[in-house]
Amino acid sequence: MIDADPEPRAAGTTTDLRIDCHRLVSRLMALGEIGAIDGTTGCARLALTDEDRAGRDLVVTWMRDLGLEISIDGIGNVIATMPGFDGVAPVMTGSHIDTVGTGGRYDGNLGVLGGLEVIETVIAARERGEVDLIRPLAVGFFSDEEGARFPPDMLGSLVYVGGLAVEDALLIEDANGAVFGTELERIGYAGPAPLPGPAPHAFVELHIEQGPVLEDEDVTIGVVEGVQGISWTELTLNGESCHAGTTPMRLRHDPGYVAACISTQVRELTREFGEPQVGTVGAITLMPNLVNVVPSIATLTVDLRNTDEGTLQRAETKFRGFVAATAEAEGVGVETRILARFEPVEFDRQVIDIVERSARALGMSSRRMPSGAGHDAQMFARVCPTAMIFTKSVNGISHNVTEYTEPEDLEAGTNVLLQTMLTLAETEFG
């Protein structure tokens, strides 16, 4: 078993190894051209669309070019592993290549292509006799991480670790009634590998921060200690449609009004509970959505997050009570659908320490921090030692066509990933 605080690798061994930033950026740009949004640097590759298929095909081609062993499972997750280590659990990295409808070129993609770059760098070093591995390295991309088309988010990695039966996941429908399993078959990525998948020796995910903290504090690397708990709820409010000019206010049953009250209450809730509680109403639709008609139906989504499970539960309870009371007072019915619910996740202390030491050995500043967004790594924390590495996001912007990370920050994060994976490959966990 490794010592709780082992010494960093000596200079002259793996700390001399570096990734090829030009190659990494070139791949990021090539993948970003698939689903490119005209007039922007953004892209749209919703899960299991034709654009997702084209992106998958490109990344799998790069994996095959490196001679990696490729596994595709029944939910469409793709894992590529260095050959020649039969029966030895790999040190795995990875993320996702699906995007939101107006996404950028770095969210998820960096974690996949950075992992591929690490493996290519290590393969070349092994051929030169500079690196000797006792465990293989692997990189994967996981289906429907965004949840933008098929809820919940992190769907592929959730199924991989056994958190959701593949049979149930394949029946999930998108907003237009398309079925996940049917779409997966259509794009040709319903694979034969069984689920749940085999647990890696360890998992570490590289990701852009998607927030402003690293840039604001001028820190190069975020050492991620855990992920906030996430609660996604869809509310359908059923009222009565009527004329906007002839119906007195006292006789209305207006779901639009209730939706507006809920939106305001979510913000008030975050003030009451304080940081790090956050809350968002991200989508509201009204029926019939006409200027002179009181709506009959309002549908909205509510996203609540906190790093503490108990606080998150209290926020949920207060929110539900407000919805029930406000709807009753207006004479509006409420239908509730839970889209996603994940408890906060704490990452493995040893892996966190290794990430931090790897950054220090490379002369980079770092800070420990939580992740405000959900990631595939939080699923892998259920089955193996896991942590994450953050690199800067310009202006903290993500899920946006203007999303950007400077090449030097891409390089810094990927070099920390390289050193972390090499250390993990020789680390034995209790």
Side-chain angles (χ1 to χ4, degrees), residues 291-309:
V291 66
N292 61 345
V293 179
V294 175
S296 59
I297 300 173
T299 303
L300 68 157
T301 60
V302 177
D303 179 329
L304 300 176
R305 307 188 191 205
N306 201 297
T307 55
D308 179 75
E309 174 63 16

Side-chain angles (χ1 to χ4, degrees), residues 9 13-14 17 82 85 122-123 125-137 421-423 425-426:
R9 288 170 167 269
T13 56
T14 59
L17 201 57
M82 295 172 65
F85 296 85
V122 172
I123 288 173
R126 290 183 77 206
E127 292 173 349
R128 297 191 301 266
E130 297 174 0
V131 171
D132 183 24
L133 290 177
I134 62 173
R135 293 184 178 278
L137 307 183
M421 293 186 74
L422 289 172
T423 302
E426 61 183 22

Side-chain angles (χ1 to χ4, degrees), residues 100-117:
V100 296
T102 53
R105 297 189 173 199
Y106 304 92
D107 175 8
N109 304 322
L110 173 60
V112 177
L113 300 183
L116 193 67
E117 175 59 32

